[in-house]
Structure formats: C-alpha cells, structure tokens
C-alpha cells in the first residue's frame, strides 16, 4: 500500500494490527513529499532529498540529480527565460558534462528550438510525461537507497508461487478441483506468468530417494502407499517375501503389490 501511495490506508492498517514498529511508514512519508512535488512539477523537495543522500547516491553512480537539473533547465526554456537558463546550465549542468555530455548538449540546444518546436528530438523534452519519468526514476532510486526490491515482495512471492503451479493442464476443462489454478481468480492472476519449467511430475521413492520410472516402476501397497520396485524387492529379499510399509507399519506379501503405470 505504501509503494502504491495508499499512505492513509497503510497507516490505518498498521495501527489496527499494531505493526507500526515493523513497517517503514516514516521513510515512505518522506518519499511521499518528493513524489507529490514532482507530480506538481516542482523539483525543490527532490533536490533537497538528493542533497541529504548525496554520498550514498554518488556511491551508486546515480544521475537522478542531473535529470532533475535538466528538467529545471527545460522549464526555464519553456518560460522563455533563456538568459537565466544559460546561467543555470553553466552553474548546475556544466559540472556533469564530463560524464553526461551528450544529454547535456541535447537539452542545451532547446534554447534555440524553444518549447513550440515540432522537431521530435526536442519536442519530447517539453512533454508532461517527462515528469512521470522523474517520478518513476525517484521511486527506483528510493528503493535502491534503502535496499528494497522495485517490485513489492508480496507480488514477487505470489508470482513465484503461481508460476510454480502453472502448467498447460491447469486451463483444461477437466482440471482437478484440488489444483488452485482450477479457480478462475487464480487463473487470471497467473495468465501473464510463464509456465512451470517442469511440466511433468517426477515420482521419487520414499525409501531409496531414487526416481521411479519405467526401469524402476512404482508399486502400490494395499494401504495405498507407493514405493519403487527396486526398494520393495530388496525388502522382500531380506524378509522372506514380506513387505513392511515404513510409514504405517503395514505388513503384506510382495505378491499383494499392484504395479502402477506412469503415463
């Protein structure tokens, strides 16, 4: 909820469950101020945040501050304050020239083209969506700074679980009701996710931990438990043809077993 900017709801949830000490509400409230300012086309709070975290951002080779400065320069050009824009570029953008010269040059040329240009290369720099890019960039820098994943962990766990369960058979009409993906809600959530890499189940013997296949087929005991032929033959050889289920203690003859076939 905090990641998706539902701050008030997140605070109420934390209070109702008494988990305030386990969540990062204060940190996200700090981010909220920056995001709201960027959405209102203001770079001041974002620049202040960069100044507070300057050493850590520098260590991660962040160029977020440079992007903020570029946008502030663009706004001066949009307002036709060209002289002020040039002065601003000399003071705040020129120091970045050694590492971001191409981006600096491209933005600086807008002084000649102005905000009304139809040239696609420069017109895009004046579009409102540039502020959306800054919001997204800030969220990435914010998560990186505090060691958070870009995607919420809840989403990651849910996607991993659904992907592990997802096979082509889940979408068949005769899909078993025990399969979670037989439910329409889970099917919709799993739709964009990849199928599980292992499409076919593997049967592993409880006794020997070996794979049960056509060379070592599974045998079914009268109580319904299944073990490999190799394990049960070894057991019968040592116990005069008797088989003891290691999980239930049932004793039966080897001749009572029923071979199961793997399709």
């Amino acid at each position: 909820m905090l990641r998706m900017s539902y701050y008030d709801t997140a605070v109420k949830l934390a209070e109702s469950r008494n988990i305030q000490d386990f969540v990062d509400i204060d940190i996200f409230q700090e981010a909220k101020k920056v995001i709201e300012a960027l959405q209102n086309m203001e770079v001041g709070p974002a620049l202040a945040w960069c100044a507070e975290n300057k050493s850590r951002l520098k260590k991660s080779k962040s160029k977020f501050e440079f992007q903020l400065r570029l946008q502030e320069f663009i706004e001066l050009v949009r307002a036709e304050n060209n002289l002020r824009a040039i002065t601003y570029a000399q003071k705040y953008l020129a120091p970045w020239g050694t590492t971001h010269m191409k981006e600096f040059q491209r933005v600086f040329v807008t002084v000649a083209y102005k905000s009304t240009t139809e040239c696609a290369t420069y017109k895009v720099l004046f579009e409102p969506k540039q502020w959306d890019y800054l919001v997204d960039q800030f969220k990435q820098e914010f998560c990186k700074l505090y060691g958070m994943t870009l995607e919420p962990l809840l989403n990651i766990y849910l996607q991993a679980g659904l992907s592990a369960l997802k096979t082509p058979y889940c979408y068949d009409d005769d899909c078993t009701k025990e399969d979670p993906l037989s439910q329409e809600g889970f099917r919709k959530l799993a739709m964009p996710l990849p199928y599980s890499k292992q499409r076919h189940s593997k049967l592993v013997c409880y006794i020997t931990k070996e794979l049960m296949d056509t060379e070592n087929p599974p045998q079914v005991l009268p109580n319904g438990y299944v073990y490999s032929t190799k394990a049960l033959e070894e057991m019968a050889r040592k116990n005069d043809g008797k088989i003891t289920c290691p999980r239930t203690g049932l004793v039966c003859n080897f001749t009572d077993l029923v071979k199961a076939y793997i399709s």
Side-chain angles (χ1 to χ4, degrees), residues 198 200-221 224-232 247 257-263:
Q198 186 61 49
H200 302 285
S201 299
K202 290 183 179 180
L203 297 178
V204 179
C205 178
Y206 177 83
I207 300 172
T208 63
K209 310 303 180 189
E210 294 180 3
L211 191 66
M212 291 187 282
D213 51 23
T214 54
E215 302 297 324
N216 184 28
Q219 299 277 359
V220 185
L221 274 63
Y225 283 88
V226 178
Y227 305 99
S228 68
T229 299
K230 187 185 296 185
L232 296 177
R247 285 182 280 189
L257 304 182
V258 177
K259 184 177 180 181
Y261 294 90
I262 302 174
S263 59

Short mmCIF file of all heavy atoms in Angstrom, two decimals, residues 198 200-221 224-232 247 257-263:
data_model
loop_
_atom_site.label_atom_id
_atom_site.label_comp_id
_atom_site.label_asym_id
_atom_site.label_seq_id
_atom_site.Cartn_x
_atom_site.Cartn_y
_atom_site.Cartn_z
N GLN A 198 9.13 -27.38 -15.12
CA GLN A 198 8.90 -28.83 -15.03
C GLN A 198 7.44 -29.11 -15.29
O GLN A 198 6.60 -28.96 -14.42
CB GLN A 198 9.30 -29.34 -13.64
CG GLN A 198 9.23 -30.86 -13.49
CD GLN A 198 10.17 -31.56 -14.44
OE1 GLN A 198 11.31 -31.22 -14.53
NE2 GLN A 198 9.66 -32.54 -15.14
N HIS A 200 6.10 -32.04 -16.22
CA HIS A 200 5.68 -33.38 -15.82
C HIS A 200 6.20 -33.68 -14.42
O HIS A 200 7.34 -33.37 -14.10
CB HIS A 200 6.21 -34.44 -16.80
CG HIS A 200 5.77 -34.21 -18.21
ND1 HIS A 200 4.49 -34.47 -18.64
CD2 HIS A 200 6.42 -33.69 -19.28
CE1 HIS A 200 4.39 -34.15 -19.93
NE2 HIS A 200 5.54 -33.67 -20.33
N SER A 201 5.33 -34.27 -13.62
CA SER A 201 5.73 -34.61 -12.25
C SER A 201 6.75 -35.73 -12.26
O SER A 201 6.77 -36.59 -13.14
CB SER A 201 4.51 -35.04 -11.44
OG SER A 201 3.57 -34.00 -11.36
N LYS A 202 7.61 -35.74 -11.25
CA LYS A 202 8.56 -36.83 -11.05
C LYS A 202 8.19 -37.57 -9.78
O LYS A 202 7.88 -36.94 -8.76
CB LYS A 202 9.99 -36.28 -10.93
CG LYS A 202 10.56 -35.73 -12.22
CD LYS A 202 11.99 -35.29 -12.01
CE LYS A 202 12.59 -34.75 -13.32
NZ LYS A 202 14.00 -34.30 -13.16
N LEU A 203 8.20 -38.89 -9.85
CA LEU A 203 7.91 -39.71 -8.68
C LEU A 203 9.22 -40.18 -8.08
O LEU A 203 10.02 -40.83 -8.75
CB LEU A 203 7.05 -40.91 -9.07
CG LEU A 203 5.65 -40.58 -9.63
CD1 LEU A 203 4.92 -41.85 -10.03
CD2 LEU A 203 4.83 -39.81 -8.61
N VAL A 204 9.43 -39.85 -6.82
CA VAL A 204 10.66 -40.22 -6.12
C VAL A 204 10.32 -41.18 -5.00
O VAL A 204 9.40 -40.93 -4.21
CB VAL A 204 11.38 -38.97 -5.56
CG1 VAL A 204 12.64 -39.36 -4.81
CG2 VAL A 204 11.70 -38.00 -6.69
N CYS A 205 11.05 -42.27 -4.92
CA CYS A 205 10.79 -43.30 -3.91
C CYS A 205 11.11 -42.75 -2.52
O CYS A 205 12.17 -42.18 -2.28
CB CYS A 205 11.63 -44.54 -4.19
SG CYS A 205 11.41 -45.84 -2.96
N TYR A 206 10.18 -42.98 -1.59
CA TYR A 206 10.34 -42.52 -0.21
C TYR A 206 11.49 -43.24 0.48
O TYR A 206 12.17 -42.67 1.34
CB TYR A 206 9.04 -42.78 0.55
CG TYR A 206 9.07 -42.42 2.02
CD1 TYR A 206 8.85 -41.11 2.43
CD2 TYR A 206 9.32 -43.40 2.97
CE1 TYR A 206 8.87 -40.79 3.78
CE2 TYR A 206 9.35 -43.08 4.32
CZ TYR A 206 9.12 -41.77 4.72
OH TYR A 206 9.15 -41.45 6.06
N ILE A 207 11.76 -44.49 0.09
CA ILE A 207 12.78 -45.30 0.76
C ILE A 207 14.17 -45.04 0.21
O ILE A 207 15.09 -44.73 0.97
CB ILE A 207 12.44 -46.81 0.62
CG1 ILE A 207 11.07 -47.11 1.25
CG2 ILE A 207 13.52 -47.67 1.27
CD1 ILE A 207 10.57 -48.51 1.00
N THR A 208 14.33 -45.14 -1.10
CA THR A 208 15.67 -45.03 -1.70
C THR A 208 15.99 -43.62 -2.20
O THR A 208 17.14 -43.33 -2.50
CB THR A 208 15.81 -45.99 -2.89
OG1 THR A 208 14.86 -45.61 -3.91
CG2 THR A 208 15.54 -47.43 -2.45
N LYS A 209 14.95 -42.76 -2.31
CA LYS A 209 15.09 -41.41 -2.86
C LYS A 209 15.48 -41.42 -4.34
O LYS A 209 15.95 -40.42 -4.88
CB LYS A 209 16.14 -40.58 -2.08
CG LYS A 209 15.95 -40.60 -0.58
CD LYS A 209 14.57 -40.12 -0.17
CE LYS A 209 14.42 -40.14 1.35
NZ LYS A 209 13.03 -39.89 1.80
N GLU A 210 15.28 -42.56 -5.00
CA GLU A 210 15.58 -42.69 -6.41
C GLU A 210 14.33 -42.43 -7.24
O GLU A 210 13.20 -42.61 -6.77
CB GLU A 210 16.14 -44.08 -6.72
CG GLU A 210 17.50 -44.36 -6.09
CD GLU A 210 18.01 -45.75 -6.44
OE1 GLU A 210 17.33 -46.47 -7.21
OE2 GLU A 210 19.09 -46.13 -5.94
N LEU A 211 14.55 -42.05 -8.49
CA LEU A 211 13.45 -41.75 -9.39
C LEU A 211 12.71 -43.03 -9.77
O LEU A 211 13.33 -44.07 -10.04
CB LEU A 211 13.99 -41.07 -10.65
CG LEU A 211 12.97 -40.45 -11.60
CD1 LEU A 211 12.27 -39.27 -10.95
CD2 LEU A 211 13.65 -40.01 -12.89
N MET A 212 11.38 -42.96 -9.77
CA MET A 212 10.57 -44.10 -10.22
C MET A 212 10.15 -43.85 -11.67
O MET A 212 9.54 -42.83 -11.98
CB MET A 212 9.35 -44.28 -9.32
CG MET A 212 9.69 -44.74 -7.91
SD MET A 212 8.26 -45.16 -6.89
CE MET A 212 7.67 -43.52 -6.42
N ASP A 213 10.55 -44.77 -12.55
CA ASP A 213 10.23 -44.63 -13.97
C ASP A 213 9.96 -46.01 -14.54
O ASP A 213 9.70 -46.97 -13.79
CB ASP A 213 11.38 -43.93 -14.70
CG ASP A 213 12.73 -44.59 -14.41
OD1 ASP A 213 12.74 -45.79 -14.03
OD2 ASP A 213 13.77 -43.92 -14.57
N THR A 214 10.02 -46.13 -15.86
CA THR A 214 9.74 -47.42 -16.49
C THR A 214 10.76 -48.49 -16.12
O THR A 214 10.46 -49.68 -16.13
CB THR A 214 9.70 -47.26 -18.03
OG1 THR A 214 10.93 -46.65 -18.47
CG2 THR A 214 8.53 -46.39 -18.45
N GLU A 215 11.99 -48.07 -15.81
CA GLU A 215 13.03 -49.01 -15.41
C GLU A 215 12.90 -49.42 -13.95
O GLU A 215 13.36 -50.49 -13.54
CB GLU A 215 14.42 -48.40 -15.65
CG GLU A 215 14.69 -47.99 -17.09
CD GLU A 215 14.66 -49.19 -18.04
OE1 GLU A 215 15.11 -50.28 -17.61
OE2 GLU A 215 14.18 -49.03 -19.17
N ASN A 216 12.29 -48.57 -13.17
CA ASN A 216 12.10 -48.81 -11.73
C ASN A 216 10.69 -48.36 -11.37
O ASN A 216 10.50 -47.37 -10.67
CB ASN A 216 13.16 -48.03 -10.94
CG ASN A 216 13.09 -48.30 -9.46
OD1 ASN A 216 12.67 -49.38 -9.01
ND2 ASN A 216 13.49 -47.31 -8.65
N PRO A 217 9.66 -49.09 -11.85
CA PRO A 217 8.27 -48.64 -11.73
C PRO A 217 7.77 -48.63 -10.29
O PRO A 217 8.27 -49.37 -9.43
CB PRO A 217 7.50 -49.66 -12.57
CG PRO A 217 8.36 -50.88 -12.55
CD PRO A 217 9.76 -50.40 -12.55
N PRO A 218 6.77 -47.79 -10.02
CA PRO A 218 6.18 -47.73 -8.68
C PRO A 218 5.28 -48.94 -8.42
O PRO A 218 4.64 -49.47 -9.33
CB PRO A 218 5.38 -46.44 -8.71
CG PRO A 218 5.05 -46.21 -10.15
CD PRO A 218 6.21 -46.76 -10.92
N GLN A 219 5.26 -49.38 -7.17
CA GLN A 219 4.39 -50.47 -6.72
C GLN A 219 3.48 -49.94 -5.62
O GLN A 219 3.94 -49.23 -4.72
CB GLN A 219 5.22 -51.64 -6.19
CG GLN A 219 6.17 -52.27 -7.19
CD GLN A 219 5.47 -53.29 -8.09
OE1 GLN A 219 4.28 -53.54 -7.95
NE2 GLN A 219 6.22 -53.86 -9.03
N VAL A 220 2.21 -50.30 -5.68
CA VAL A 220 1.22 -49.81 -4.73
C VAL A 220 0.93 -50.87 -3.68
O VAL A 220 0.58 -52.01 -4.00
CB VAL A 220 -0.09 -49.41 -5.44
CG1 VAL A 220 -1.06 -48.78 -4.44
CG2 VAL A 220 0.19 -48.45 -6.59
N LEU A 221 1.07 -50.50 -2.41
CA LEU A 221 0.75 -51.40 -1.31
C LEU A 221 -0.77 -51.40 -1.07
O LEU A 221 -1.47 -50.48 -1.52
CB LEU A 221 1.46 -50.95 -0.03
CG LEU A 221 2.89 -51.45 0.19
CD1 LEU A 221 3.83 -50.93 -0.90
CD2 LEU A 221 3.39 -51.03 1.58
N GLY A 224 -2.37 -48.19 -0.06
CA GLY A 224 -2.34 -47.06 -0.99
C GLY A 224 -1.01 -46.35 -1.10
O GLY A 224 -0.83 -45.52 -1.99
N TYR A 225 -0.04 -46.67 -0.24
CA TYR A 225 1.27 -46.03 -0.32
C TYR A 225 2.09 -46.64 -1.47
O TYR A 225 1.93 -47.83 -1.78
CB TYR A 225 2.02 -46.16 1.00
CG TYR A 225 1.52 -45.20 2.06
CD1 TYR A 225 0.46 -45.55 2.89
CD2 TYR A 225 2.09 -43.93 2.20
CE1 TYR A 225 -0.02 -44.66 3.86
CE2 TYR A 225 1.63 -43.04 3.16
CZ TYR A 225 0.57 -43.40 3.98
OH TYR A 225 0.11 -42.53 4.93
N VAL A 226 2.91 -45.81 -2.07
CA VAL A 226 3.64 -46.22 -3.26
C VAL A 226 5.14 -46.13 -3.02
O VAL A 226 5.64 -45.13 -2.49
CB VAL A 226 3.26 -45.31 -4.46
CG1 VAL A 226 4.05 -45.69 -5.71
CG2 VAL A 226 1.75 -45.38 -4.73
N TYR A 227 5.86 -47.19 -3.44
CA TYR A 227 7.32 -47.21 -3.33
C TYR A 227 7.88 -47.84 -4.60
O TYR A 227 7.15 -48.44 -5.40
CB TYR A 227 7.78 -48.00 -2.10
CG TYR A 227 7.17 -47.51 -0.81
CD1 TYR A 227 6.06 -48.16 -0.25
CD2 TYR A 227 7.66 -46.38 -0.18
CE1 TYR A 227 5.49 -47.71 0.92
CE2 TYR A 227 7.10 -45.92 1.01
CZ TYR A 227 6.01 -46.59 1.55
OH TYR A 227 5.44 -46.12 2.70
N SER A 228 9.17 -47.69 -4.82
CA SER A 228 9.77 -48.21 -6.05
C SER A 228 9.94 -49.73 -6.00
O SER A 228 10.09 -50.33 -4.93
CB SER A 228 11.14 -47.56 -6.26
OG SER A 228 12.05 -47.99 -5.27
N THR A 229 9.92 -50.32 -7.17
CA THR A 229 10.09 -51.78 -7.28
C THR A 229 11.42 -52.22 -6.69
O THR A 229 11.50 -53.23 -5.98
CB THR A 229 10.00 -52.21 -8.75
OG1 THR A 229 8.71 -51.87 -9.27
CG2 THR A 229 10.22 -53.71 -8.90
N LYS A 230 12.46 -51.47 -6.99
CA LYS A 230 13.80 -51.82 -6.50
C LYS A 230 13.84 -51.87 -4.98
O LYS A 230 14.39 -52.82 -4.39
CB LYS A 230 14.82 -50.80 -7.01
CG LYS A 230 16.26 -51.17 -6.72
CD LYS A 230 17.22 -50.04 -7.15
CE LYS A 230 17.19 -49.82 -8.64
NZ LYS A 230 18.21 -48.82 -9.07
N ALA A 231 13.25 -50.90 -4.32
CA ALA A 231 13.26 -50.86 -2.86
C ALA A 231 12.46 -52.01 -2.27
O ALA A 231 12.89 -52.64 -1.29
CB ALA A 231 12.70 -49.52 -2.38
N LEU A 232 11.30 -52.30 -2.85
CA LEU A 232 10.44 -53.35 -2.30
C LEU A 232 11.01 -54.74 -2.57
O LEU A 232 10.86 -55.66 -1.75
CB LEU A 232 9.03 -53.21 -2.90
CG LEU A 232 8.31 -51.90 -2.52
CD1 LEU A 232 6.96 -51.81 -3.22
CD2 LEU A 232 8.12 -51.81 -1.00
N ARG A 247 5.97 -46.17 6.63
CA ARG A 247 5.23 -45.04 7.16
C ARG A 247 4.04 -45.45 8.02
O ARG A 247 3.64 -44.70 8.92
CB ARG A 247 4.77 -44.13 6.02
CG ARG A 247 5.91 -43.31 5.44
CD ARG A 247 5.47 -42.37 4.33
NE ARG A 247 5.31 -43.09 3.07
CZ ARG A 247 5.11 -42.49 1.90
NH1 ARG A 247 5.02 -41.18 1.82
NH2 ARG A 247 4.99 -43.20 0.78
N LEU A 257 1.31 -56.70 -3.94
CA LEU A 257 1.55 -55.38 -4.52
C LEU A 257 0.94 -55.28 -5.92
O LEU A 257 0.81 -56.27 -6.63
CB LEU A 257 3.07 -55.12 -4.62
CG LEU A 257 3.88 -55.24 -3.32
CD1 LEU A 257 5.34 -54.90 -3.58
CD2 LEU A 257 3.29 -54.33 -2.25
N VAL A 258 0.58 -54.06 -6.27
CA VAL A 258 0.00 -53.80 -7.59
C VAL A 258 0.90 -52.79 -8.30
O VAL A 258 1.19 -51.73 -7.76
CB VAL A 258 -1.44 -53.23 -7.48
CG1 VAL A 258 -1.97 -52.90 -8.87
CG2 VAL A 258 -2.34 -54.20 -6.76
N LYS A 259 1.32 -53.13 -9.51
CA LYS A 259 2.19 -52.24 -10.25
C LYS A 259 1.41 -51.03 -10.78
O LYS A 259 0.31 -51.19 -11.30
CB LYS A 259 2.82 -53.01 -11.41
CG LYS A 259 3.83 -52.20 -12.22
CD LYS A 259 4.47 -53.07 -13.31
CE LYS A 259 5.47 -52.26 -14.11
NZ LYS A 259 6.10 -53.08 -15.19
N ALA A 260 1.99 -49.85 -10.63
CA ALA A 260 1.39 -48.63 -11.15
C ALA A 260 2.10 -48.23 -12.42
O ALA A 260 3.32 -48.40 -12.55
CB ALA A 260 1.46 -47.52 -10.12
N TYR A 261 1.36 -47.70 -13.38
CA TYR A 261 1.94 -47.31 -14.65
C TYR A 261 1.99 -45.79 -14.77
O TYR A 261 1.03 -45.10 -14.46
CB TYR A 261 1.13 -47.91 -15.81
CG TYR A 261 1.20 -49.40 -15.86
CD1 TYR A 261 0.26 -50.18 -15.16
CD2 TYR A 261 2.20 -50.05 -16.56
CE1 TYR A 261 0.32 -51.58 -15.18
CE2 TYR A 261 2.28 -51.44 -16.58
CZ TYR A 261 1.34 -52.19 -15.89
OH TYR A 261 1.42 -53.56 -15.91
N ILE A 262 3.13 -45.28 -15.20
CA ILE A 262 3.33 -43.85 -15.35
C ILE A 262 2.96 -43.46 -16.77
O ILE A 262 3.55 -43.95 -17.73
CB ILE A 262 4.79 -43.46 -15.07
CG1 ILE A 262 5.17 -43.90 -13.65
CG2 ILE A 262 4.99 -41.96 -15.24
CD1 ILE A 262 6.64 -43.69 -13.33
N SER A 263 2.01 -42.53 -16.92
CA SER A 263 1.58 -42.10 -18.25
C SER A 263 2.29 -40.82 -18.63
O SER A 263 2.73 -40.07 -17.78
CB SER A 263 0.07 -41.90 -18.30
OG SER A 263 -0.33 -40.93 -17.36
#
